[in-house]
């Protein structure tokens, strides 16, 4: 891969009314993984698709940005299940025409610092089991029962996913079968399920050590999503070679090849509804793009509260349905640049998860009430170490990213201010939080003191500003048991011509959003048309 200029990272085509085609078969709002997957699959089926992205670059949470000669990802640190020819890998290969490569992380891809103890997640089912057993020799039965639960959860997941692609009458018809395939256990709290297997709180903590991947600690999250994540990373973590922006970069040509386009700086103001049916979208500049099929990947809260006329959302019942779900937590990001290569600095291809103790839920609660309390989790990732291409693009430098939760309410008073001009008190608060997070890095890697050249901090307001998430939510909707049982969270809405996709339909994660894109396409074109394509993808 060639050495890049800053503009290389800005992918997509800048929106101008004159650049629009005369007509499109579908308009997709948002160019994240959900939107791009839907657009690419429809394109492959011969549809001309217009993707409209409000940000300056395409990719949603998979985009990367560059500053001061460094390059960071905003929402991708590792992807699982792509090391061999799995269904996930085949889907990525299909979308990217095989142009997306994956670099394996270290065998110990996640490291959990829980109080003063250290545990590692090892790649491979047997390795995972043996490693846990070595650390918890009296817990063999609990560990094996847990692995058996993960296996049965895996069998249930495709039925759960499939149920989302069905219309409401089909869901009713299939209901006994789906209930049989998705046992109640999946919708119980993660902690409750694990507490029936063991009393060892350290073992429960290690098993839940990746809770940050869905943003909810084990006494609030559903076991279904816990199991999805645990299975997803069971065979290790992988990083997209070239950086996370390469994901969108490698998918967009498929959309363009069918005559479609991905436009950036293209904010949709609202979805146009006439006589109860969707007829297109109105852009921020006043232009209306007529189209009878509109897919929103902008998140369900945005879609029903911001993009649809209020009376339409209320009449269709979405206003009250939204009351049954909550936004996921918000986060801080620290983007760090160092003037030596990852190799010279000895940075690992392992993510660090740092917890004050093994009671994750109590730590979250304490912190939410008092920002001076220790962070309930601090996640540290080393992208330039994971990416074998980074040194070619940015020789002699390295990057580190830190992610930690932070409630949106702490930042609410600045929410109407412009990015970069929120005032000294905001900058000072942000700086203080950033400095605190840097101490976690120096605590684990003291040799980095004095080597950091630059760092900057993002807050939940950055997520709101760049991604449009109203409460700065990290993962769309919160993954509670209630949310996972909302049958209206599916691609087909009750408003003819309006479809949903992205992380709110299934689960968060790049793969979750990708699978949602596949379900949305299935829902739009129907089983008969999707079947040959799926056969081609999975052959
Ligand atoms: C800090 C962080 C770390 C993460 N780490 C990982 C990880 O390591 N591995 C993993 O698998 N997942 C990770 N995730 C989650 C993953 O990135 C997301 O779940 C997934 O990418 C979401 O895809 P999406 O298409 O649903 O939404 P998005 O990527 O958010 O796309 C929605 C798009 O809609 C656009 N939009 C909104 N409103 C409008 C409008 N009115 N007009 C036009 N466009 C609009 C937004 O700008 C955005 O680009 C992480 C997320 C975060 C925030």
């Amino acid at each position: 891969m060639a050495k890049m200029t800053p503009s290389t990272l800005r992918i997509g085509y800048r929106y101008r009314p004159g650049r629009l085609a005369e007509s499109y078969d579908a308009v997709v709002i948002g160019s994240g993984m959900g939107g791009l997957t839907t657009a690419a699959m429809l394109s492959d089926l011969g549809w001309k698709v217009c993707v409209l992205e409000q940000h300056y670059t395409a990719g949603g949470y998979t985009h990367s940005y560059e500053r001061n000669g460094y390059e960071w990802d905003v929402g991708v640190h590792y992807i699982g299940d792509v090391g061999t020819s799995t269904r996930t890998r085949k889907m990525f290969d299909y979308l990217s025409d095989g142009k997306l490569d994956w670099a394996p992380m270290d065998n110990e891809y996640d490291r959990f610092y829980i109080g003063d103890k250290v545990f590692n997640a090892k790649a491979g089912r047997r390795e995972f089991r043996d490693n846990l057993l070595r650390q918890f020799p009296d817990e063999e039965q609990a560990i094996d029962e847990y692995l058996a639960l993960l296996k049965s959860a895996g069998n249930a997941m495709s039925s759960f996913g499939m149920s989302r692609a069905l219309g409401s009458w089909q869901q009713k018809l299939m209901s006994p079968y789906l209930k049989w395939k998705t046992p109640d256990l999946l919708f119980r709290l993660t902690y409750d399920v694990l507490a029936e297997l063991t009393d060892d709180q350290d073992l429960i903590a290690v098993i839940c050590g990746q809770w940050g991947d869905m943003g909810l600690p084990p006494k609030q999250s559903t076991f279904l999503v816990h199991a999805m994540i645990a299975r997803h990373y069971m065979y290790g973590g992988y990083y997209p070679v070239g950086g996370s922006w390469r994901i969108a970069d490698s998918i967009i040509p498929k959309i363009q090849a069918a005559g479609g386009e991905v436009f950036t700086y293209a904010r949709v103001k609202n979805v146009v509804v006439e006589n109860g049916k969707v007829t297109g979208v109105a852009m921020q500049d006043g232009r209306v793009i007529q189209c009878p099929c509109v897919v929103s990947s902008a998140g369900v809260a945005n879609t029903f509260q911001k993009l649809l006329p209020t009376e339409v959302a209320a009449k269709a019942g979405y206003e009250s349905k939204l009351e049954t779900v909550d936004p996921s937590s918000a986060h801080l990001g620290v983007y760090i640049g160092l003037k030596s290569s990852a190799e010279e600095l000895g940075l690992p291809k392992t993510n660090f998860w740092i917890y004050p103790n093994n009671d994750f839920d109590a730590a979250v609660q304490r912190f939410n009430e008092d920002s001076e309390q220790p962070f309930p989790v601090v996640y540290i990732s080393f992208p330039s170490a994971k990416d074998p291409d980074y040194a070619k693009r940015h020789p002699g430098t390295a990057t580190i990213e830190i992610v930690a939760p932070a409630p949106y309410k702490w930042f609410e008073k600045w929410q109407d201010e412009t990015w970069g001009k929120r005032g000294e008190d905001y900058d000072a608060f942000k700086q203080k939080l950033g400095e605190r997070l840097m101490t976690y890095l120096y605590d684990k890697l003291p040799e980095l003191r004095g080597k950091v050249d630059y760092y900057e901090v993002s807050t939940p307001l950055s997520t709101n500003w760049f991604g449009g998430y109203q409460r700065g939510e990290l993962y769309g909707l919160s993954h509670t048991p209630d949310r996972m049982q909302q049958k209206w969270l599916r691609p087909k809405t009750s408003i003819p011509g309006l479809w949903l996709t992205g992380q709110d339909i299934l689960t968060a994660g790049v793969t979750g959003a990708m699978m949602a894109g596949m379900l949305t396409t299935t829902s739009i074109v129907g089983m008969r048309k999707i079947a040959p394509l799926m056969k081609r993808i999975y052959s």
Side-chain angles (χ1 to χ4, degrees), residues 494-510:
S494 57
I495 300 153
L498 179 65
W499 308 81
L500 304 171
T501 198
Q503 59 187 350
D504 288 350
I505 298 311
L506 271 182
T507 66
V510 174

Side-chain angles (χ1 to χ4, degrees), residues 30 33-34 53-54 60-61 74-75 77-78 268 297 469 474 503 509-510:
M33 197 60 196
E53 169 55 53
Q54 52 101 27
Y61 271 144
V74 300
H77 299 115
Y78 63 150
V268 173
S297 77
Y469 288 97
L474 169 69
Q503 59 187 350
V510 174

Side-chain angles (χ1 to χ4, degrees), residues 329-332 363-377 404-416 422 425-430 432-434 436-437 440 457-462 470-472:
S329 61
H331 76 288
L332 299 166
V364 170
Q365 197 181 337
R366 266 197 309 275
F367 181 70
N368 284 350
E369 285 160 8
D370 176 4
S371 65
E372 298 297 325
Q373 291 290 321
F375 280 93
V377 53
Y408 186 80
K409 64 179 182 205
W410 294 352
F411 302 88
E412 217 157 10
K413 61 178 166 176
W414 297 289
Q415 69 182 357
D416 297 324
R422 296 196 178 107
D425 49 350
Y426 170 78
D427 289 340
F429 184 46
K430 191 168 99 147
K432 191 173 150 204
L433 291 164
R436 276 176 65 191
L437 287 170
Y440 286 78
V457 182
S458 76
T459 74
L461 296 183
S462 323
Q470 293 181 50
R471 305 291 299 173

Side-chain angles (χ1 to χ4, degrees), residues 32-44 87-100 246-255 510-511 513-515 517-518 521 533 536-537:
M33 197 60 196
L36 287 183
T37 303
T38 313
M41 291 185 79
L42 287 175
S43 301
D44 211 5
R87 289 172 84 81
T88 307
R89 174 63 187 263
K90 284 181 175 173
M91 193 69 191
F92 276 114
D93 285 350
Y94 157 72
L95 290 170
S96 67
D97 270 334
K99 296 201 174 76
L100 190 59
R246 281 282 304 134
I247 297 176
D249 189 48
S250 64
I251 298 174
I252 291 173
K254 211 185 241 330
I255 300 163
V510 174
T511 306
M514 177 172 77
M515 291 307 172
M518 191 259 282
T521 314
L533 176 57
R536 177 149 60 87
I537 296 171

